[in-house]
Amino acid sequence: MKKILITGGAGFIGSHVVRLFVNNYPNYQIYNLDKLTYAGNLANLKDVEDKPNYHFIKADIVDGEQMQALFEDHQFDSVIHLAAESHVDRSIANPMEFIMANIVGTVNLLNAARHQWQGDFEGKRFYHISTDEVYGSLGHTGFFYETTPYDPHSPYSASKASSDHLVRAYHDTYNLPIVISNCSNNYGPNQFPEKLIPLIINNIRNEKPLPVYGKGLNVRDWLYVVDHARAIDVIFHQGGDGETYNIGGHNEWKNIDIVKLVCEIMDGKLGRADGTSEKLITFVKDRAGHDLRYAIDATKLQNELGWMPSLQFEEGIRKTIDWYLENQSWLDEVTSGNYLKYYEEQYQKR
Ligand code: NAD
Ligand code: TYD
């Protein structure tokens, strides 16, 4: 019997992690703690909300006293920490929210765990979920390894880098049992349509311009979100204490090629003539400090813990597009209200 606190479980990746743990480990009690920001959505977890081993706590990790009180009340023995502000463009517009949630929030959880566990670390684990963006930007060749020096460029990646350093510092200073993983770009169902792939899908369905930053030549390494959740399961259970694991899809794409692929698949699915959606592509002003290329070497995870991605990208992207087309009410819901204001602010000036 384990009592696991999963933070950010109502978000994109968190909801897939919560689902996997609730379904695969009925003997664990899973506590999903989430502030329900614009990115958090309990509709993502409808299928597990009535399970006896699932519990939801609405709380803000920036409130340190509340984190301490929750640890005292529930006696969590493990943490899988995903809660974060996660969108680079928002971090450029509002860095302080990222400093608070990603840095202060992480330290509050570290303090609460340390205080509650009191040096008795048997069966305890603090698992911090991070990103490959902490490593900075690659040129046209090479990969990020676990040993690659940190070199973040956006307020988002700098805040994640900072939280990674603090998690390691609590391990080295207080022996807190920690593990960290740094994953490449995720895609799949339930991703908020501010990120590239769901934004493009949503705009194609609405026949709106498809904003491509710069020349669309930046490269990302895409992983299907359920494969990330599977990696988190493996690392949580088998990862070494104090270790870092890179997670990636060996699946590099230029942004423009992804956008064209999504256009082509959606034209087919929506019964539009070939080439219809591509006409919506609009090159817009580049993102400030835009990292050119991310690419993960996930050999350590594969060799030591036996994890590999299970889905090919062609299959994953089709599954993802199908999900959004079958769940248009989810898209309608999250793109009403504040999303319109956000969209106008981000894209009108580009
Ligand atoms: P997301 O924005 O979809 O979800 C974040 C969740 O955290 C939301 O449910 C939100 O309500 C919650 N949250 C935010 N601030 C909070 C606070 N102060 N207190 C409590 N809850 C709060 O993000 P995501 O894409 O699912 O990313 C999850 C984690 O994975 C993040 O730590 C992110 O850095 C990391 N990551 C993401 C990607 C990616 O491609 N999306 C890749 C690698 C790593
Ligand atoms: P994003 O999904 O925001 O992820 P990240 O910046 O964390 O990698 O963006 C993925 C890539 O797509 C990135 O190079 C920026 C680019 N992009 C666009 O070209 N247009 C858009 O509207 C968005 C949101 C992103």
Side-chain angles (χ1 to χ4, degrees), residues 83-124:
E85 289 292 338
S86 70
H87 186 39
V88 174
D89 293 325
R90 287 188 194 252
S91 83
I92 294 168
N94 278 311
M96 191 51 87
E97 285 177 17
F98 286 68
I99 307 308
M100 296 310 290
N102 299 1
I103 306 178
V104 176
T106 300
V107 175
N108 283 337
L109 290 166
L110 289 165
N111 283 340
R114 180 177 168 236
H115 181 257
Q116 184 60 35
W117 297 342
Q118 292 285 336
D120 174 11
F121 297 135
E122 188 61 36
K124 310 289 199 305

Side-chain angles (χ1 to χ4, degrees), residues 93 285 343-350:
K285 185 165 162 245
Y343 199 91
E344 206 177 286
E345 281 169 9
Q346 278 292 333
Y347 291 94
Q348 211 169 43
K349 61 181 183 242
R350 283 189 187 271

Side-chain angles (χ1 to χ4, degrees), residues 12-13 16 129-130 132 181-189 191 197 220-232 235 245-253 258 294 296 298 301 307-313 316-317 320:
F12 166 48
I13 302 171
H16 290 275
I129 306 299
S130 192
D132 61 355
S181 55
N182 296 80
C183 189
S184 62
N185 287 60
N186 285 215
Y187 70 99
Q191 187 169 30
I197 291 179
R220 299 292 183 261
D221 173 1
W222 294 93
L223 180 69
Y224 191 64
V225 62
V226 177
D227 276 333
H228 187 188
R230 284 178 44 245
I232 289 173
I235 293 166
Y245 298 89
N246 278 354
I247 310 172
H250 277 295
N251 178 43
E252 291 180 48
W253 284 79
I258 293 231
Y294 304 144
I296 279 278
L301 181 58
W307 174 91
M308 292 241 294
S310 69
L311 268 196
Q312 293 296 316
F313 188 65
I317 198 78
T320 302

Side-chain angles (χ1 to χ4, degrees), residues 5-45:
L5 174 67
I6 300 184
T7 68
F12 166 48
I13 302 171
S15 61
H16 290 275
V17 174
V18 166
R19 175 174 301 104
L20 185 152
F21 273 78
V22 166
N23 288 334
N24 289 9
Y25 303 102
N27 55 330
Y28 294 178
Q29 295 299 315
I30 303 299
Y31 291 80
N32 168 18
L33 183 156
D34 201 296
K35 181 182 171 183
L36 300 181
T37 67
Y38 76 94
N41 187 347
L42 289 176
N44 295 349
L45 288 165

